[in-house]
């Protein structure tokens, strides 16, 4: 190996002293009592004090107050227990204020495990610390945001409970009262009034159902189905038609229901879908024209459609029909919450089906289609 | 009670040694029962020794940490009384380091007869200055300290434990110890720090009636000599011993001296 003449520029073995003194990090050796036994030039310059002033003083006393506490309660015990510490966050106190650093250290021990001295290395960590502080803040903000969300969620749950019980129960009482009243001898005028009130109660019940479902859907759970293929669907659908017929005596409802196979669906959900579509048609249909309900279930699947005559839905409105709170032409007293079609389309989706609309000057028709899996006749005979 | 010995599990209580009387060693803020590992074995031949971790520290049940309960030292003292009851402690010796010295005082007042003697290592009844009283800290210092704990997740958060290196220097300390000692959930550490450094238990000192030993370190910035002497003045008949040891943890830095002084007192 060729020796390098000392006159040439470059690194020389003697420069290890220079590396120790002027390395871009602080070095210190602490006696077993924590007093500084050696310190390099870099650390001296950071601390703003010459070496002779630092020697014999405690490293601990060059830290901020919290740093001193952490030094005594964490750093020293950890060092004594495991012989080293790494990346401890501390602040040096300098003439120019706080100087953020990371400190790592290890112990030199004798054969009896007694501490001889501690080697300490100090890294400047201003940018890194600023970055980490902002991370800590972001994390705290995120936790706060999450807590706020949870609080909002809890409020929403409460709101749903209110709708579910506090509104529905009195409505059920009103409904029961009206039913009893309708069995009494009534004048034609009274009879008409009771009929109108029953229609209102039914409509209100439908609105509550829709709002409830919408609120639940917003919670992220979506609609849950309880499917039952063993129960016949037809009576459910006929009951819906009859209820609405009673409450809308001025409009003719013509239904054609033909269900040949078991339908694996949530009966009350499909009933709700029909109720929403039919209620919509009764509200928006042309006066004096019948509303048609057609249901067929066979090997091709279930198809349920509701059609009414009247002005076609404007093209611009078509694409928004199934969005929540969308209300097309707001006519007198015809304005609902704009949730009926949205909920109906959600019910269709939950069943793996579709809800579509076609609207011409002749008729406006909403059609729900869902596929049916083939059921072995023997296992699930139609009642 | 149908659910017995829950405190023993919750606080990771470890017993050893044999003898008529029991010595309970309690660790202070920052670490766990291993703080006493260089002192406790010396008492095994003559005493039943008991060590435990405060909830939130070491191998205690972190799920038992209820912020309201542990917002003051009283919650920690309740735990200590429960441990004493489950172990059937009577006339035992309590040795408490740092904040646990005061936790022991509170427990001895809550359950008279449980502890016959108290040893307080680096005690302070109040850390924040108050008029004539110099605890050593301003309220701003304490707020800075709490912030600093949040930042030091890398140094001793339990989340970083798996990254801890092997321990070639001291093979008798398992990795497990290195992984748990001084490492805890930063939020819990912050709460414990708040309970420790914002408390004021000066009035409780005068109520102590059992023989008490105060071990004071040199140059202890957390519990300075004037604070140790305040404790001594306020506990009638107490003994004050100035150690040669410096700093705040003589149980680690000068275990032999601590053992000698406690033995002399007993």
């Amino acid at each position: 190996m060729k020796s390098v003449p000392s006159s040439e520029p470059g690194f020389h073995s003697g420069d290890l002293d220079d590396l120790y003194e002027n390395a871009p990090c602080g070095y210190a050796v602490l006696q077993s009592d924590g007093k500084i036994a050696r310190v390099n030039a870099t650390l001296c310059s950071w601390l703003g004090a010459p070496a002779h002033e630092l020697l014999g003083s405690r490293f601990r006393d060059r830290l901020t107050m919290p740093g001193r506490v952490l030094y005594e309660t964490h750093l020293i015990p950890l060092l004594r227990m495991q012989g080293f510490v790494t990346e401890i966050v501390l602040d040096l106190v300098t003439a120019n204020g706080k100087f953020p650093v990371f400190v790592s250290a290890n112990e030199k021990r004798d054969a009896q495990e007694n501490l001889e001295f501690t080697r300490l290395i100090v890294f400047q960590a201003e940018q890194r610390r600023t970055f980490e502080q902002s991370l800590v803040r972001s994390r705290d903000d995120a936790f706060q945001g999450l807590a706020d969300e949870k609080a909002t969620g809890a409020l929403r749950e409460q709101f749903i409970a209110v709708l579910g019980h506090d509104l529905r129960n009195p409505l059920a009482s009103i409904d029961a009262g009206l039913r009893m009243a309708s069995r009494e001898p009534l004048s034609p005028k009274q009879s008409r009034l009771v009929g109108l009130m029953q229609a209102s109660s039914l409509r209100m019940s439908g609105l509550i159902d829709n709002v409830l479902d919408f609120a639940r859907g917003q919670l992220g759970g979506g609609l849950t189905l309880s499917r039952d293929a063993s129960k016949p669907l037809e009576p459910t659908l006929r009951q819906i038609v009859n209820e609405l017929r009673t409450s809308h005596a001025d409009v003719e409802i013509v239904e054609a229901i033909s269900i040949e196979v078991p339908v694996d669906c949530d009966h009350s959900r499909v009933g709700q879908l029909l109720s929403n579509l039919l209620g919509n048609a009764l509200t928006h249909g042309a006066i004096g024209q019948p509303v048609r309900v057609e249901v067929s279930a066979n090997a091709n699947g279930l198809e349920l459609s509701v059609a009414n005559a009247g002005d076609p839905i404007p093209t611009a409105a078509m694409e928004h029909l199934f969005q929540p709170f969308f209300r097309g032409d707001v006519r007198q007293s015809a304005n609902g919450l704009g949730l009926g079609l949205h909920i109906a389309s959600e019910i269709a989706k939950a069943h793996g089906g579709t809800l579509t609309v076609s609207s011409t000057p002749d008729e406006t028709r909403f059609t729900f289609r869902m596929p049916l899996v083939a059921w072995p006749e023997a296992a699930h005979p139609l009642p | 009670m149908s659910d017995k010995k829950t405190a023993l599990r919750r606080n990771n209580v470890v017993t050893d040694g044999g003898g008529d009387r029991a010595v309970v060693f309690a660790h202070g803020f920052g670490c766990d029962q291993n703080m006493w590992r260089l002192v406790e074995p010396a008492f095994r031949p003559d005493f039943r020794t008991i060590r435990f971790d405060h909830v939130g520290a070491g191998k205690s049940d972190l799920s038992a940490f209820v912020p309201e309960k542990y917002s003051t030292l009283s919650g920690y003292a309740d735990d200590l009384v429960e441990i004493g009851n489950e172990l059937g402690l009577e006339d035992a010796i309590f040795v408490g380091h740092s904040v646990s010295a005061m936790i022991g005082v509170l427990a001895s007042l809550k359950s008279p007869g449980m502890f016959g003697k108290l040893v307080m290592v680096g005690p302070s009844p109040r850390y924040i200055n108050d008029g004539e009283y110099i605890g050593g800290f301003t309220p701003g210092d304490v707020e800075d300290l709490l912030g600093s704990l949040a930042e030091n997740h890398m140094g001793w958060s339990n989340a970083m434990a798996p990254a801890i290196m092997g321990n070639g220097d001291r093979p008798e300390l398992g990795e497990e110890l290195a992984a748990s000692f001084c490492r805890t959930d930063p939020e819990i550490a912050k709460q414990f720090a708040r309970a420790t450094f914002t408390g004021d238990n000066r009035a409780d000192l005068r109520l102590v009636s059992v023989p008490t030993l105060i071990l004071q370190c040199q140059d202890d910035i957390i519990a300075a000599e004037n604070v140790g002497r305040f404790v001594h003045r306020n506990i009638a008949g107490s003994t004050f011993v100035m150690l040669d040891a410096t700093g705040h943890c003589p149980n680690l830095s000068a275990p032999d001296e601590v053992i000698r002084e406690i033995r002399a007192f007993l």
Side-chain angles (χ1 to χ4, degrees):
Chain A
M1 191 191 275
K2 269 201 274 183
S3 64
V4 180
S6 60
S7 59
E8 283 188 21
F11 182 77
H12 308 282
S13 58
D15 291 346
L16 277 177
D17 286 340
D18 174 76
L19 175 64
Y20 167 76
E21 288 295 345
N22 301 308
C25 62
Y27 288 118
V29 174
L30 310 184
Q31 295 167 199
S32 60
D33 61 4
K35 289 177 179 164
I36 298 172
R38 221 179 146 182
V39 56
N40 75 344
T42 304
L43 189 50
C44 287
S45 80
W46 286 349
L47 289 169
H52 67 83
E53 249 179 54
L54 295 172
L55 295 178
S57 71
R58 288 184 200 286
F59 177 73
R60 181 197 69 195
D61 295 339
R62 304 287 161 182
L63 303 173
T64 55
M65 182 53 109
R68 290 176 201 179
V69 174
L70 294 177
Y71 179 92
E72 293 285 7
T73 57
H74 289 77
L75 190 143
I76 290 296
L78 259 180
L79 260 176
R80 279 277 66 206
M81 295 301 274
Q82 61 183 22
F84 67 91
V85 294
T86 54
E87 298 179 66
I88 306 297
V89 173
L90 295 169
D91 291 301
L92 302 179
V93 176
T94 72
N96 301 321
K98 279 204 277 190
F99 189 87
V101 295
F102 288 138
V103 171
S104 293
N106 58 23
E107 289 187 345
K108 171 77 171 76
R109 296 167 172 180
D110 67 16
Q112 282 75 46
E113 289 293 323
N114 295 311
L115 172 63
E116 291 190 73
F117 55 82
T118 304
R119 313 174 191 101
L120 198 116
I121 185 164
V122 181
F123 295 98
Q124 185 171 8
E126 187 149 23
Q127 292 179 30
R128 178 72 176 276
R129 289 275 299 281
T130 307
F131 173 63
E132 286 179 3
Q133 280 162 3
S134 73
L135 282 183
V136 169
R137 265 198 304 279
S138 309
R139 190 201 57 176
D140 290 348
D141 289 350
F143 276 127
Q144 187 56 48
L146 190 64
D148 293 349
E149 272 298 311
K150 278 184 181 161
T152 311
L155 258 179
R156 205 152 28 189
E157 292 272 15
Q158 257 179 346
F159 175 65
I160 290 172
V162 166
L163 280 174
H165 293 92
D166 299 4
L167 282 183
R168 264 215 269 232
N169 291 350
L171 194 60
S173 305
I174 291 173
D175 210 44
L178 288 171
R179 214 168 303 148
M180 283 166 70
S182 68
R183 291 193 206 107
E184 300 291 321
L186 299 172
S187 72
K189 190 179 175 188
Q190 285 169 329
S191 181
R192 204 164 57 84
L193 274 176
V194 168
L196 285 172
M197 285 163 79
Q198 276 179 317
S200 296
S201 151
L202 187 68
R203 199 164 89 85
M204 194 160 161
S205 164
L207 288 174
I208 291 172
D209 284 347
N210 288 342
V211 171
L212 210 53
D213 286 331
F214 178 71
R216 281 207 198 97
Q218 290 299 296
L219 284 172
L223 289 178
T224 51
L225 299 182
S226 65
R227 289 171 182 260
D228 186 357
S230 66
K231 238 171 51 180
L233 180 60
E234 190 167 331
T236 309
L237 300 183
R238 288 203 184 277
Q239 192 195 334
I240 302 278
V241 173
N242 286 335
E243 272 177 13
L244 284 158
R245 179 177 283 135
T246 313
S247 60
H248 292 78
D250 52 337
V251 185
E252 188 191 359
I253 303 177
V254 180
E255 78 263 41
I257 301 179
S258 154
I259 297 179
E260 300 161 16
V261 294
V263 180
D264 184 28
C265 69
D266 184 322
H267 290 246
S268 68
R269 286 301 185 190
V270 172
Q272 188 185 3
L273 178 146
L274 173 60
S275 171
N276 285 0
L277 294 184
L278 191 49
N280 203 51
L282 291 168
T283 309
H284 295 285
I287 293 161
Q289 300 279 328
V291 169
R292 293 176 195 287
V293 175
E294 283 153 22
V295 184
S296 69
N298 51 41
N300 296 326
L302 172 74
E303 186 172 314
L304 182 160
S305 70
V306 176
N308 63 272
D311 293 337
I313 300 167
T315 323
M318 289 286 268
E319 54 185 296
H320 302 296
L321 274 182
F322 299 119
Q323 289 173 2
F325 301 114
F326 176 77
R327 291 148 69 179
D329 51 336
V330 182
R331 284 178 295 172
Q332 41 87 32
S333 79
N335 47 338
L337 286 169
L339 285 174
L341 289 177
H342 172 68
I343 301 291
S345 84
E346 292 297 306
I347 292 172
K349 271 187 227 162
H351 280 90
T354 56
L355 180 63
T356 55
V357 57
S358 67
S359 193
T360 66
D362 292 333
E363 73 165 15
T364 293
R365 180 179 291 268
F366 287 88
T367 306
F368 164 51
R369 288 187 188 85
M370 71 174 274
L372 291 178
V373 277
W375 289 92
E377 285 289 316
H380 293 275
L382 259 181
Chain B
M1 276 215 225
S2 56
D3 199 8
K4 289 168 78 176
K5 312 291 182 201
T6 50
L8 299 191
R9 274 198 303 279
R10 180 190 61 206
N11 288 92
N12 184 30
V13 175
V14 178
T15 61
D16 212 323
D20 294 338
R21 293 187 82 181
V23 187
V24 179
F25 293 93
H27 71 86
F29 166 70
C31 297
D32 65 20
Q33 61 180 273
N34 285 294
M35 199 66 157
W36 289 108
R37 68 194 315 276
L38 303 179
V39 171
E40 174 271 332
F43 292 86
R44 289 181 195 170
D46 311 305
F47 297 92
R48 183 181 177 206
T49 65
I50 294 152
R51 285 164 292 157
F52 69 97
D53 295 329
H54 286 302
V55 168
K59 286 194 272 183
S60 66
D61 179 3
L62 293 190
S63 70
F65 191 87
V66 184
E68 300 76 48
K69 173 178 176 183
Y70 297 107
S71 64
T72 67
L73 298 187
S74 179
Y76 292 94
D78 288 339
D79 284 358
L80 177 54
V81 169
E82 282 174 32
I83 292 167
N85 285 334
E86 289 183 17
L87 291 173
L89 293 187
E90 274 175 43
D91 197 28
I93 297 129
F94 176 83
V95 182
H97 175 227
S98 190
V99 66
S100 272
M102 284 314 302
I103 291 171
V105 165
L106 297 179
S108 76
L109 298 176
K110 283 172 189 270
S111 181
M114 185 174 283
F115 298 113
K117 285 185 176 181
L118 298 178
V119 178
M120 306 174 83
V121 183
S124 172
R126 179 183 165 104
Y127 293 89
I128 296 175
N129 302 334
D130 180 27
E132 300 276 291
Y133 175 86
I134 304 297
F137 294 81
T138 65
D141 289 336
V142 172
E143 281 311 307
D144 287 352
L145 172 63
L146 298 178
S148 180
L149 283 171
E151 252 197 278
N152 255 309
H153 55 103
M154 295 224 295
W156 36 69
S157 147
N158 52 358
M160 289 297 291
I164 298 304
M165 319 277 282
N167 190 18
D169 281 3
R170 305 197 73 183
E172 83 277 16
L173 288 181
E175 301 236 340
E176 189 189 331
L177 168 60
S180 72
F181 187 64
C182 278
R183 284 162 221 287
T184 188
D185 182 291
E187 271 310 306
I188 295 180
K190 196 169 163 180
Q191 298 253 20
F192 192 18
R194 198 185 292 280
T196 298
F197 288 98
T198 62
D200 184 355
N201 299 98
R202 286 174 294 178
D204 297 305
L205 296 175
R206 292 179 182 282
L207 306 175
V208 176
S209 58
V210 297
T212 300
L213 170 67
I214 295 143
L215 294 183
Q216 178 66 48
C217 282
Q218 316 267 348
D219 196 33
D220 182 351
I221 50 129
I222 294 173
E225 186 182 337
N226 68 295
V227 175
R229 292 203 181 276
F230 177 92
V231 174
H232 174 47
R233 272 201 310 282
N234 284 274
I235 297 180
S238 60
T239 308
F240 181 89
V241 172
M242 193 76 205
L243 299 174
D244 289 334
T246 58
H248 187 61
C249 301
N251 33 5
L252 281 179
S253 66
D256 294 341
E257 191 183 16
V258 171
I259 292 165
R260 195 174 63 235
E261 294 300 338
I262 296 176
R263 278 200 167 280
F265 172 67
L266 299 182

